[in-house]
Amino acid sequence: MASWKLPSTVGRSVGILGAGVLGRRIGACWASAGYKVHICDLDASQTAGALEYIKHELWRYKPTVNPDKISVKAFQDLELTVEDSWLVIECVPEKLNLKQDVFAELEKVARKDAIFATNSSSYKSRELTGKVSPETARRMVNMHYIIPPGIRLVEIMTSGSTHEEIFPFLEKHLRSSGMLPLMVHRESTGFVVNRVWAAIKRECLMVLSEGIASPSELDAAWTEMFIKDGNPPCAMMDSVGLDTISLIEQHYIKERGIKDEGVIDYLQKYIDEGRLGAKCSKGGLHPPGHTTKTAGQEQTAYDNINAPSLYILDLGLANEPSEVYKKGRILVGSADGKSPLRTVVDRQPMPDGIALSPSAGKIFWTNMGVPNINDGSIMSSNLDGSNIQVIIPSGVVHTPKQLAVDTESGKLYFSDREGMRVFRCNPDGSGLETLIQTGDWKRGFQDKKLWCVGIAVAPREGKFYWTQKGQSKGSEGRILRASMNMPPGANASTRKDIECLFSGLPEPIDLEIDEEGRAMYWTDRGELPLGNSLNRVSLDEAGQYGNHQILARNLHEAIGLALDKKNRHIYATGLGGAVYRFNMDGGDRMKFYEDEGAFAGIALCDV
């Protein structure tokens, strides 16, 4: 067999296997330095999210190339991903058999000179060579990224038989991608950083399991004593995920013969309750949303790992009067407000309502057009703004407003303000149905009590909800609901199953339903003191709403609304040009992206 030689990198890709939190960040590191990147994940929504993350967040990696020139592609097929790769980095879950199987398959499909790396935080690469040949094992290394871009350290460690020339070769290319490579001199479970962290983490978990301190008390003490502006241990464990922490701890205990002092049982209680950390709506050691920070809050490298991207509609009202009806935009920002707003779609006629389907990789939005003309439309595109499609053409709907996706059926629901209707259709626009009709716009649409504006769906309940705003600042607004199934023999004008839940509201606009939390939220842009507000009501066991609470006041022309159920946050927008974020009870109010547009709809993408 011919002797192995270092691979050429010219025209070849860096393959990333796994498009999750770390996979997409590793991809961004290499892309920022001009390397061609291929990302593979069986879940198409993950690869779509990874592509969107890299495009939107690349600025955080201080790119040395023009961001418009980067080459990043997504795949669901392993062979296509790595067919030209000089380096393949595995980022799959911390399960030994799974990782071994991945490298066995790589051996079959990748080029024979490609270097194989694992991003495992606990397994030595030697342990992953069990299903590959000794020759392939010599091309394998650990390449452990911590959490870029906040922490640029990456640890490189031998498989026990790795070709020596691989280490300076990787060091050179890692430095060119903006990383700080640390060469581990000998095999070590946990490398350097995690080995020290393992001892700290274990003692912290023992303090918690023995009831000596609470997570918040421990983090506060740690911050004050050691790192003031750094990563306290409990918040850091939540960011990583308590299920992952448990797997790593179990591996350390088995490998080193360490006595478990109750740590695994302590973690298992959280896991059994579904409290896995920042990645789920139940939180972990800390309450949900603890690690999601905005621009005005102190942040660490582990914050905002599980925060959503914000898709925001700008109506275009800041443009010259002659340009207003053709300069609307879809903007993408970050949950911390630090990422510059990026335009993914422009030149839209007054976009107002927006909803996302991450699984399909799609944005859906409404264009109002000129409000007193029957020229509204419904549009779609990929998450990056490409492949724009007209799914409901101009003139079929009058002035479409808020839009919602029924995640169970895939159907789109949207309100038509001056058209005085509520519609439903398939994602491609087919199967258009009129569900509610409160009037005939051809005979006039001056009675604003009949204008349908907000829309929300409750699939489990089998209902949809909408707002009718009434006269501006007129306290004539209503919130209504009806069954998703049209009653037999009825039509949109004659159906008798419509319930008016609330009336006399200042001017209700957008709606959101939290079925798990048994609550309904809405924005109201009516007159103070009850208008320009964020509102909530609770659903009782009998299916009735009550306990109306005004969660926040003094918003500037409140319009858009979106719920981050995982991190337990509410996002709202105002025509005055700002994004607001609140806790689910209206507390901890934050305001960002001020004066950057006249904002209408907002949607969240969990990428």
Side-chain angles (χ1 to χ4, degrees), residues 40-184:
C40 180
D41 200 296
L42 295 178
D43 185 344
S45 66
Q46 285 281 30
T47 52
L51 294 179
E52 185 61 19
Y53 171 85
I54 292 171
K55 285 186 178 181
H56 184 55
E57 300 295 325
L58 196 70
W59 68 274
R60 297 183 191 262
Y61 293 78
K62 299 180 172 57
T64 58
V65 296
N66 184 338
D68 295 329
K69 303 295 185 182
I70 67 169
S71 175
V72 183
K73 295 181 180 179
F75 300 85
Q76 274 68 60
D77 183 272
L78 177 64
E79 185 171 1
L80 292 176
T81 303
V82 304
E83 63 180 355
D84 71 345
S85 296
W86 66 270
L87 170 65
V88 182
I89 307 170
E90 166 271 310
C91 305
V92 304
E94 290 286 283
K95 297 179 180 178
L96 181 59
N97 286 337
L98 175 61
K99 289 178 181 288
Q100 288 178 335
D101 289 342
V102 166
F103 284 108
E105 189 63 25
L106 274 177
E107 184 178 45
K108 298 175 185 177
V109 299
R111 293 193 187 182
K112 298 305 180 186
D113 63 347
I115 299 169
F116 296 163
T118 175
N119 187 57
S120 174
S121 58
S122 59
Y123 288 108
K124 297 192 286 283
S125 51
R126 177 196 296 271
E127 298 175 84
L128 309 184
T129 64
K131 297 180 182 180
V132 301
S133 68
E135 291 79 13
T136 297
R138 299 200 69 194
R139 295 185 279 127
M140 290 176 62
V141 296
N142 285 90
M143 183 180 287
H144 178 230
Y145 288 74
I146 309 297
I147 188 72
I151 298 175
R152 297 283 184 148
L153 186 68
V154 57
E155 297 169 300
I156 307 297
M157 188 173 74
T158 180
S159 68
S161 61
T162 307
H163 290 289
E164 286 298 324
E165 58 267 40
I166 284 178
F167 298 104
F169 177 74
L170 289 178
E171 181 176 14
K172 170 188 170 184
H173 287 285
L174 284 165
R175 289 191 184 279
S176 72
S177 70
M179 301 304 294
L180 176 62
L182 172 60
M183 297 299 163
V184 182

Side-chain angles (χ1 to χ4, degrees), residues 323-335:
E323 297 287 299
V324 163
Y325 293 111
K326 50 188 175 182
K327 283 293 186 74
R329 302 178 295 165
I330 300 178
L331 307 171
V332 180
S334 59

Side-chain angles (χ1 to χ4, degrees), residues 112-316:
K112 298 305 180 186
D113 63 347
I115 299 169
F116 296 163
T118 175
N119 187 57
S120 174
S121 58
S122 59
Y123 288 108
K124 297 192 286 283
S125 51
R126 177 196 296 271
E127 298 175 84
L128 309 184
T129 64
K131 297 180 182 180
V132 301
S133 68
E135 291 79 13
T136 297
R138 299 200 69 194
R139 295 185 279 127
M140 290 176 62
V141 296
N142 285 90
M143 183 180 287
H144 178 230
Y145 288 74
I146 309 297
I147 188 72
I151 298 175
R152 297 283 184 148
L153 186 68
V154 57
E155 297 169 300
I156 307 297
M157 188 173 74
T158 180
S159 68
S161 61
T162 307
H163 290 289
E164 286 298 324
E165 58 267 40
I166 284 178
F167 298 104
F169 177 74
L170 289 178
E171 181 176 14
K172 170 188 170 184
H173 287 285
L174 284 165
R175 289 191 184 279
S176 72
S177 70
M179 301 304 294
L180 176 62
L182 172 60
M183 297 299 163
V184 182
H185 294 183
R186 52 181 293 190
E187 288 182 274
S188 167
T189 298
F191 317 101
V192 175
V193 174
N194 269 6
R195 186 161 174 176
V196 175
W197 164 236
I200 297 169
K201 177 176 56 179
R202 192 171 301 109
E203 286 297 325
C204 289
L205 288 167
M206 287 172 64
V207 165
L208 298 175
S209 68
E210 294 171 15
I212 295 169
S214 69
S216 59
E217 290 167 339
L218 176 54
D219 277 358
W222 182 278
T223 301
E224 183 64 27
M225 286 295 297
F226 301 115
I227 51 173
K228 207 70 175 180
D229 299 318
N231 301 302
C234 296
M236 188 170 169
M237 285 188 272
D238 270 353
S239 292
V240 172
L242 300 187
D243 50 345
T244 301
I245 293 292
S246 180
L247 288 172
I248 294 169
E249 287 303 303
Q250 290 177 57
H251 178 62
Y252 285 154
I253 288 168
K254 181 179 178 181
E255 162 120 351
R256 296 177 183 164
I258 300 169
K259 182 182 178 182
D260 177 16
E261 301 286 353
V263 164
I264 301 303
D265 287 344
Y266 178 77
L267 287 169
Q268 195 61 43
K269 288 191 300 182
Y270 283 86
I271 294 168
D272 290 344
E273 294 171 2
R275 297 165 62 189
L276 305 181
K279 62 185 176 183
C280 72
S281 61
K282 295 182 178 180
L285 297 173
H286 286 290
H290 181 81
T291 61
T292 304
K293 305 292 177 62
T294 59
Q297 297 174 296
E298 290 185 357
Q299 299 184 26
T300 74
Y302 282 84
D303 289 327
N304 292 323
I305 290 176
N306 295 281
S309 293
L310 312 183
Y311 282 68
I312 307 163
L313 296 181
D314 170 25
L315 288 169

Side-chain angles (χ1 to χ4, degrees), residues 470-485:
Q471 295 292 330
S472 180
K473 320 297 184 187
S475 296
E476 298 175 336
R478 295 185 291 165
I479 298 176
L480 307 100
R481 72 177 171 187
S483 172
M484 289 178 166
N485 298 318

